[in-house]
Amino acid sequence: MEQLVHDKVESFWRAIQIDMKRRGQIIVTFSEKRPKKSWYQLYMADEEVPWEQWIINVEFRQHNTEKDRLTFNNNLANTLSKTIQTMLVHTSSERGRAVVPPITQSSGISPFPFKIATHVGGVEVGTS
């Protein structure tokens, strides 16, 4: 999970440094899997239905010195990574699960589906 968060923040960071407006979003969406039915109520497949979404808006500003800029950039990257990890850990905890829909999958990096999307200039970045 830490590597996924790190990779998303890094791709976001690279893209936002190029963008002239220096604005972007990191969107974390949590879902649950539900059976998707056809017209005749036959079970077809599972679909992911979002139940919570966190949106982190980011805007960068000009710094006076190179040292200030480097310090700020490092602190920001660390803060973004920690924030996303906190969300994932909280929703995976016993207390967090009290408000989460039933978890039906216990394998992988999280017991429920989640997606981290990064947008810069209205375009999703860091997809692979």
Side-chain angles (χ1 to χ4, degrees), residues 57-126:
N57 293 307
V58 180
E59 180 177 353
F60 292 93
R61 298 198 171 104
Q62 190 66 31
H63 296 282
N64 295 330
T65 67
E66 181 66 13
K67 182 180 177 185
D68 288 346
R69 185 186 69 77
L70 292 173
T71 300
F72 175 80
N73 289 351
N74 188 37
N75 290 340
L76 179 62
N78 289 335
T79 299
L80 290 173
S81 292
K82 287 177 184 176
T83 300
I84 293 171
Q85 288 175 11
T86 298
M87 288 186 288
L88 294 173
V89 168
H90 174 72
T91 55
S92 295
S93 71
E94 193 68 37
R95 182 176 171 211
R97 285 195 304 260
V99 296
V100 173
I103 297 172
T104 58
Q105 175 186 342
S106 62
S107 62
I109 61 173
S110 177
F112 47 85
F114 69 93
K115 178 183 178 190
I116 302 172
T118 53
H119 297 260
V120 174
V123 176
E124 187 169 356
V125 297

Side-chain angles (χ1 to χ4, degrees), residues 27-45:
I27 303 169
V28 181
T29 304
F30 299 96
S31 303
E32 67 174 306
K33 286 194 175 192
R34 291 186 187 166
K36 184 176 183 177
K37 297 180 180 176
S38 69
W39 285 64
Y40 300 105
Q41 299 298 316
L42 299 174
Y43 176 74
M44 296 295 290

